[in-house]
Each structure stands twice: as structure tokens, then as C-alpha cells.
Amino acid sequence: MQWVTHYDIAAIIMEIIIFGYTNKLFRQKDKSSVYFLLMLIFNLVATVFDLVTVYTYVPVEQGKIPVWAGYLFSMIYYYSENLISPLLYMYILSLLNGRDTRKIEKIWFYCVVIFYTVIIFTTGMTKAVFYFEDGVYTRGPIVALLYFIAYMTFMACLIITIKNRYRLIRSQRIAVYSFICFVFVCVVIQMYIDNILLTNYASTVSLLLVFLSIQNPEIYKDPVTGMSNAKSFYSTVDIAISNRKKFTSIIVEIDGFKYIKDSFGNENVEELVIHIAGRLSERCRKKRLFYLGDVRFGIITYHDDVIMITEELWEEFAGQISVSEINMTMLPLICYVNYPDAVLSSNELASVIDYAFTESRDLMNEGTLCIGRDFLTKKQRQLAISHLISQAITNDGFTVHYQPIKNVKTGKFSSAEALVRLIDSDLGFISPEEFIPIAEKNGKILKLGEIVFEKVCKFLASGSAEKHGIEYIEVNLSVVQCMQANLAEKLISIIDKYNLPYSAFNLEITETADFVNNEMLISNMNKLLSKGIQFSMDDYGTGFSTSDYLIELPFKMVKIDKSIVWSAMSDEKAFKILKYTVAMMKSLELEIVAEGVETKEMAETLINIGCDFLQGFYYSRPISENAYIEFLKK
Ligand code: C2E
Ligand code: CA
Ligand code: CA
């Protein structure tokens, strides 16, 4: 037979090139790298011995090469060729890290490998796979079975991949599908045109594809710092966890990243990151370091040296640094997480790190934060609430309560604050202080704000409030809502829908640093003001309390936060501050609302220093629509 061997030769060249790039893989001890390397090695051996057997058929027949050598070459060929499909099978299972491999799945692998080993290496006696008769190579009866097992294994690979497709990233899925399809097509071609040696070429091209998209060590590297990246961080974590090996991951972030970026530009941030990466590598020379993005780094240690490392980090990173002639003060935020005390999977780890850096930054200002199991519980509650918010939006699950506000001058309750309520059958009453920030983060606050506003309009349109002398309702607006370009148009259209006077609304906005000079907010406010809607500055005293805010923005009222009111009642200095603040604001012709009035004495004191409106449990808690009407009737 005239053999076409070009494809095998091309395959060998390609394999050698891939090997040239895989030296780093040898150092990676994770299972998928090991299986990948084994596939590469057996594939190379199979390709070489495919050629060797083809070129030695005739010499063996002519007696120039002994028959035992012919057996040896063919056995090596068959063995290495057939091991590729079970190795691919194990490779795919190892890619699905985090998912426990079922015993039965591993059993298939061992059975196949044992069967191959026995059947191929005893073929000299059994003549099952092949044999030489008078020096002539002849295929045995069992070759078809070998093909069948290989097909079955490829099918199993395909099924497992499809079943677990959401566990693999896109590039992994594509690589695995193409591997299977390509090998399948080539094997079919080879079956019909059996003088073209095509199968090894097919598996080599497929391995190249897998290498480029999955196993390439470069994809575990950050190009800027040269450090291992987040992908590598989590895969290292996965490996440790699958080996039940205790470890601690320490995360360091340089605070004020956004500020640094805005003030000094992207290029300087890159410089800064490189600078810090360099210093970190110097300090923690013997540790596994990772760059996790922005100005965040990770360290994984398997020893009892967390305290020592974090102390070193504080020493290294707190203080002045200068990068590209820019001087800045750095504040490191450092936390650490233990496996298995605090987390049990890489997903949980990612989740608590995320939670710590969004919700507990303040704690890290003070010192190193140890992330415990409770972080996961908190994060899970946050997720549950986030889910509840979405549900309440679609199922009309929010209600609005009203807390009456007393006008000191007239002695009447002529306004009220609308406060949103969310009650869940499992979690019970959830405070807006807890769910509003979550809604702000997941973007649901816009819809939520609209729902509350519409409910207030519906209530006002029913006429019962007006009948009892209600002049206006105060509605809270979130910072996020105020950043919305079409906020004014949206609110106006809702009011118009219910045919209500614009003067029936007072919008409460909380001061924040982001707001001073915020054009979007000012334009929204002006549009609404021109219609006759008024504004209150909410939570005065809790935030930045810049007078810029009062000067720049057209507020009619200021609401003094309950915490300020309360501390004024127990502390003389605080009382003086409150008294002069009220006087100062009145001189700016602002009206003052004090919230958190809980006792008669508090009410009297606040009236004495000149507050215009009072709100608090002393008069009424926030109550339902009906209860509010009843309250007004009295
Ligand atoms: P806030 O704007 O400061 O609202 C006043 C909060 O103080 C209300 O809490 C009210 O129940 C409480 N309060 C009033 N008087 C007293 C008192 O005498 N003693 C005590 N202990 N508490 C008093 P609530 O209803 O839990 O609301 C918390 C926060 O959630 C609000 O603080 C507001 O920032 C936010 N919020 C509530 N409803 C909405 C809404 O519809 N939209 C937005 N964006 N935020 C809302
Ligand atoms: Ca308020
Ligand atoms: Ca408040």
C-alpha cells in the first residue's frame, strides 16, 4: 500500500512547536495541565510510531527487522494512540473544577485504560489487536472494538461538556467541541481512505487549539505587571481546595484608586501599579503573588505567617510614594480569608472579597480585616434582598407608609414623609436603610423610586388626604435617581397622569460629596422647581455638611437628621452647634424640619430654638395609608 505520511510529519513539527511553549506548564501542578501534557506526550509518541510502523512493515516482512521489534513498534503505537480519548475525558472532568467528579466517571477512565493495557500488550499471544503471520502484519478481530470504545469516550466527553456547559467559559467550550468534531471527522475520513494517515494530525491540531485557548500559560499572566492574574489566583485556590490543603489568601488594595485614576490619568495608574507590583515582589519574594486588577493584589500562603505578612505590608505601603514625579499618600486596605474556616470554594472567596471591598472598606482603614464566615452570610442576605427587590417590583410588593409632620406655626399636621416598606414572608420586615443601598447598587432604585412616587400620587389623587388639610407629601429621592437625565420629565409625567398640583410634592435629597456642582442634579432641580415642586435637603449633619451645597442648590427646607437631634439632647456642645446651625439656616431663609422627635421635652426644645416642622415617634410612627387618614381625622 502507498502510505500518505505528510500529515504525520506536519503533526510532529507542530507538536514540537507546542512543546517549545509548554515549559511553564510543567511547573503548573493542576490536574488539567497534567492531563494536557500527557495528551501531548502520547500524541507525539503515537505520531512518531505511526510513521515507524508504516516504514517498518516491509523490512519486517523481508526479515531485515526482527518480528519482536515489529510487535513493539505497533504496541507502542496502539497504546499511545488509544490513550488520547480517555485522557481527553479526564481533562474535561478536570476543567469542570469545583464540580465533584463522580466516582462512576473515574471508573470509566480506569476500566478503559486497564482494558487497553491488557489487550494491547498481550496481543502477541492472543492475536486480538494485530499479529504478524510469516512476517506479514495483520489486524486482529478486536480493532473495531478499540474504535468503538474511543467513539464512546468521545461521546461521553461531548455529553459531559454539553451538560456542564455553564461551568466552562466560552473558549473552553469551543475548544472542546472543536476537538471532538475535528477528530471525529478525520477518523471517519481515515476509515474510508485508509492509506492517508490523518488521525494524529487531527488530534494535534485539536491540541493546538486547546493549548491556545485554555492551557496557554500566558492567559494566566497579567501583561502589565508580569504577575499571575486573577484567573491564576482562583485556579490556584481551586487546586488547593480540591487537595483539601489549608491556605490563607491575603488581599491588598491601595485606597482611592478611582481618585488616583481621575486625578492622574490611566498612564500614571499603570506606573503606580507596576511600582507597587515591584515593591510587593521584593517584600514577599518567596510568596505566591497575584495581580487582581485595579490596584488590588493577592497573596496565597500555606503557612502560619499571615500576621507577619500583613505587618510587612503595612510597613511597606502606608505613607508617601512618588510615581512619575507625582507624590501621593497611600493607604493600604488589607484583609485575609482562611480556607476552610471562612470559605469553602473559590466562588465563595470571590464573593466575600467583593463584599469586603464594597461594604467594609471603613473597617480596613483601621487595620487588617479578618474575613470570617459571617461575611458570606451577609453577602448571601444581600443577594437574597436583591432578589426580593426584583420580585417586589414585578409583584407590586412595595407599600408606602406615611409619617405625619407637624407644622409648628399652625399646630397642624399638614404634611407627611412617604417611606417605602418591604416585608417578606421569610425575612420579615426589611428596613429601607438596608434595601435602598442594595437597590442603588443593582440599578433597581430607578424603578423603585418610580413605584413609590406613583403610589404617593395615587394616594393624593384619591382625595382623602386633601380633605384633611394635607398640603404636600415629602418623597425621598436617591442620589442615583438624581443622576438620571430624564428624572424631571418622568416625575412630571406621573404627576400629570394623576392631574395633581405640583405644589403637592416636596422632594428630599441627601447631601453627598458627589453632588456639589453636579450639573445633572441642578438641571433636574431647576426643571422641577419651575413647575413649582419644592426641595428639602435631607439628613443634614450626617454627611459632608458643606455650605456649598446649600448655596448652590435651590433648597426650600433642611431636614436635620435624627442623630444630630438626639445628640443635641444629651450633649451641651452638640446642642449649641444645633442651635447656631438652625439660626444660621434661618438667616438663609431656609425652613427647618427636625426628625426623630421622640418626647415632649424634645419637641419643646426644638420649637424653642426655632424649628419650623417636627417629625417623630412622639407624634406618630410611619403608618399605612388608612391609618394615616384615621390619624388625620383625629
Ligand atoms: P430618612 O429619610 O432619614 O427617613 C427618616 C427615618 O427616620 C425613617 O426610617 C423613620 O421611620 C425614622 N424616624 C422618624 N422619626 C423617628 C423617631 O422619632 N425615632 C426613630 N427611632 N426613628 C424615626 P425608615 O422608614 O426606616 O427609613 C430609613 C431611610 O430609608 C430613610 O431615612 C430614607 O433615607 C430611606 N428611604 C425610605 N423610604 C425611601 C424611599 O421611598 N426612597 C428612597 N430613596 N429612600 C427611602
Ligand atoms: Ca427623608
Ligand atoms: Ca434622616
Side-chain angles (χ1 to χ4, degrees):
M1 189 168 352
Q2 195 58 44
W3 299 98
V4 180
T5 54
H6 313 350
Y7 290 99
D8 267 357
I9 292 166
I12 290 174
I13 295 170
M14 240 185 323
E15 278 156 18
I16 291 169
I17 293 172
I18 303 175
F19 266 111
Y21 283 95
T22 50
N23 53 342
K24 284 180 202 139
L25 266 187
F26 285 99
R27 269 181 275 132
Q28 230 143 4
K29 291 185 200 111
D30 63 298
K31 281 187 195 147
S32 51
S33 300
V34 171
Y35 287 121
F36 180 75
L37 277 177
L38 285 173
M39 279 196 282
L40 267 187
I41 292 166
F42 281 110
N43 192 49
L44 178 62
V45 174
T47 321
V48 170
F49 279 85
D50 196 16
L51 287 176
V52 171
T53 49
V54 162
Y55 287 115
T56 54
Y57 284 149
V58 177
V60 171
E61 211 178 313
Q62 294 168 345
K64 287 180 191 154
I65 291 178
V67 175
W68 66 261
Y71 268 108
L72 183 69
F73 298 154
S74 290
M75 281 192 299
I76 294 175
Y77 165 71
Y78 270 105
Y79 194 62
S80 45
E81 172 84 354
N82 280 294
L83 274 189
I84 292 171
S85 66
L87 282 172
L88 175 71
Y89 176 81
M90 287 308 276
Y91 177 70
I92 291 172
L93 290 183
S94 70
L95 283 182
L96 301 168
N97 47 25
R99 165 185 175 279
D100 278 335
T101 309
R102 284 181 215 110
K103 268 221 180 79
I104 179 113
E105 291 169 343
K106 276 191 189 155
I107 289 173
W108 172 257
F109 172 77
Y110 291 120
C111 288
V112 169
V113 172
I114 292 168
F115 175 75
Y116 282 157
T117 312
V118 172
I119 204 78
I120 292 171
F121 290 108
T122 59
T123 190
M125 291 173 293
T126 60
K127 301 187 174 178
V129 183
F130 68 90
Y131 52 94
F132 289 90
E133 209 159 53
D134 305 326
V136 178
Y137 171 89
T138 316
R139 283 188 183 184
I142 225 139
V143 174
L145 181 63
L146 294 187
Y147 271 114
F148 179 70
I149 293 174
Y151 275 132
M152 292 283 286
T153 313
F154 278 128
M155 278 324 253
C157 293
L158 196 61
I159 290 166
I160 291 172
T161 311
I162 292 172
K163 249 173 104 177
N164 294 285
R165 59 192 176 283
Y166 299 115
R167 290 181 174 275
L168 296 174
I169 54 171
R170 207 179 116 86
S171 64
Q172 290 179 326
R173 281 195 312 262
I174 291 176
V176 172
Y177 290 146
S178 334
F179 193 119
I180 296 167
C181 293
F182 199 58
V183 171
F184 190 82
V185 169
C186 289
V187 170
V188 170
I189 294 174
Q190 171 116 63
M191 272 163 65
Y192 289 99
I193 320 171
D194 64 357
N195 67 327
I196 300 180
L197 306 179
L198 204 58
T199 46
N200 291 301
Y201 178 73
S203 44
T204 306
V205 171
S206 306
L207 284 171
L208 178 66
L209 210 80
V210 172
F211 175 74
L212 291 177
S213 53
I214 310 177
Q215 283 313 127
N216 185 355
E218 296 301 316
I219 63 176
Y220 289 99
K221 241 198 169 100
D222 171 64
V224 174
T225 55
M227 272 184 177
S228 303
N229 59 15
K231 193 178 167 70
S232 168
F233 176 77
Y234 287 109
S235 102
T236 308
V237 165
D238 277 326
I239 295 162
I241 291 177
S242 66
N243 295 326
R244 306 260 185 281
K245 196 170 170 188
K246 285 186 180 189
F247 68 89
T248 305
S249 46
I250 303 166
I251 316 293
V252 200
E253 185 177 303
I254 302 302
D255 200 13
F257 170 70
K258 197 172 167 295
Y259 167 75
I260 298 168
K261 198 165 164 178
D262 291 347
S263 327
F264 302 119
N266 261 334
E267 266 163 48
N268 287 312
V269 171
E270 207 162 84
E271 284 275 308
L272 175 74
V273 168
I274 293 170
H275 175 94
I276 292 170
R279 277 167 64 170
L280 205 58
S281 311
E282 277 282 295
R283 266 280 174 178
C284 306
R285 226 176 261 167
K286 291 192 187 114
K287 293 286 159 210
R288 290 217 60 180
L289 288 175
F290 302 86
Y291 172 60
L292 304 179
D294 289 352
V295 196
R296 192 182 291 177
F297 297 87
I299 299 169
I300 292 181
T301 173
Y302 302 99
H303 309 290
D304 233 0
D305 51 1
V306 177
I307 303 300
M308 208 180 74
I309 298 174
T310 52
E311 270 168 12
E312 280 194 346
L313 291 174
W314 277 104
E315 214 173 280
E316 182 73 38
F317 290 112
Q320 283 281 330
I321 67 157
S322 67
V323 173
S324 327
E325 294 170 11
I326 299 169
N327 284 312
M328 49 193 144
T329 312
M330 288 204 296
L331 177 70
L333 302 175
I334 304 173
C335 63
Y336 64 90
V337 193
N338 266 319
Y339 165 83
D341 303 346
V343 291
L344 294 173
S345 69
S346 54
N347 283 340
E348 288 187 358
L349 178 66
S351 169
V352 293
I353 292 175
D354 174 60
Y355 186 82
F357 279 100
T358 47
E359 305 293 329
S360 306
R361 295 182 83 87
D362 295 347
L363 292 178
M364 286 190 262
N365 280 334
E366 316 287 323
T368 304
L369 173 72
C370 169
I371 296 183
R373 191 96 202 133
D374 55 319
F375 274 72
L376 200 65
T377 326
K378 285 186 209 156
K379 173 80 192 186
Q380 276 159 355
R381 182 175 165 92
Q382 205 182 51
L383 284 177
I385 291 175
S386 177
H387 183 65
L388 274 182
I389 294 170
S390 309
Q391 270 184 336
I393 286 175
T394 40
N395 308 339
D396 191 23
F398 291 110
T399 50
V400 174
H401 279 198
Y402 296 87
Q403 187 176 29
I405 298 173
K406 184 175 175 157
N407 183 329
V408 173
K409 218 177 282 162
T410 62
K412 286 186 181 154
F413 290 94
S414 47
S415 63
E417 177 174 5
L419 294 157
V420 65
R421 292 291 176 260
L422 174 62
I423 296 168
D424 176 56
S425 48
D426 292 331
L427 298 180
F429 172 84
I430 303 156
S431 162
E433 297 204 68
E434 187 174 12
F435 73 77
I436 295 283
I438 296 174
E440 286 176 336
K441 231 168 276 151
N442 71 12
K444 295 286 191 294
I445 190 69
L446 300 178
K447 192 69 206 159
L448 197 165
E450 241 174 79
I451 290 173
V452 170
F453 198 73
E454 179 129 15
K455 281 186 187 291
V456 172
C457 288
K458 234 183 221 162
F459 173 60
L460 287 175
S462 73
S464 30
E466 199 188 356
K467 213 165 67 193
H468 296 98
I470 289 303
E471 290 166 12
Y472 60 91
I473 298 287
E474 305 200 348
V475 184
N476 291 286
L477 286 190
S478 145
V479 173
V480 181
Q481 282 176 281
C482 300
M483 301 284 191
Q484 211 187 352
N486 62 348
L487 173 78
E489 285 79 6
K490 209 165 239 172
L491 296 185
I492 289 168
S493 81
I494 299 175
I495 299 173
D496 289 346
K497 191 167 114 189
Y498 289 90
N499 246 326
L500 293 164
Y502 299 107
S503 61
F505 299 90
N506 180 303
L507 303 177
E508 298 187 3
I509 304 175
T510 304
E511 50 170 349
T512 66
D514 292 349
F515 266 1
V516 182
N517 293 328
N518 186 287
E519 283 171 24
M520 189 64 77
L521 173 69
I522 295 178
S523 116
N524 272 326
M525 281 179 94
N526 284 332
K527 276 187 218 159
L528 291 162
L529 263 177
S530 70
K531 291 278 183 183
I533 296 172
Q534 299 292 350
F535 287 90
S536 292
M537 181 208 265
D538 205 1
D539 293 335
Y540 183 86
T542 58
F544 298 83
S545 302
T546 51
S547 42
D548 289 18
Y549 201 80
L550 279 178
I551 295 164
E552 213 150 313
L553 301 177
F555 287 110
K556 181 175 183 227
M557 298 182 170
V558 174
K559 288 192 85 167
I560 307 203
D561 191 66
K562 51 185 182 287
S563 61
I564 304 297
V565 170
W566 293 341
S567 61
M569 296 302 138
S570 57
D571 183 274
E572 216 172 300
K573 264 193 200 156
F575 177 73
K576 274 190 187 152
I577 294 177
L578 177 63
K579 193 172 142 186
Y580 292 115
T581 306
V582 170
M584 180 269 286
M585 288 202 272
K586 295 203 77 143
S587 71
L588 293 172
E589 290 176 1
L590 290 159
E591 292 180 328
I592 316 292
V593 188
E595 71 175 21
V597 183
E598 293 192 337
T599 60
K600 194 168 172 224
E601 294 71 45
M602 283 171 85
E604 281 165 359
T605 316
L606 291 162
I607 291 170
N608 277 339
I609 61 171
C611 293
D612 304 292
F613 297 89
L614 301 178
Q615 172 186 358
F617 290 1
Y618 173 60
Y619 302 110
S620 168
R621 287 175 176 261
I623 43 181
S624 69
E625 258 175 43
N626 292 336
Y628 178 46
I629 298 296
E630 287 306 310
F631 175 90
L632 291 176
K633 279 183 190 164
K634 279 190 224 151

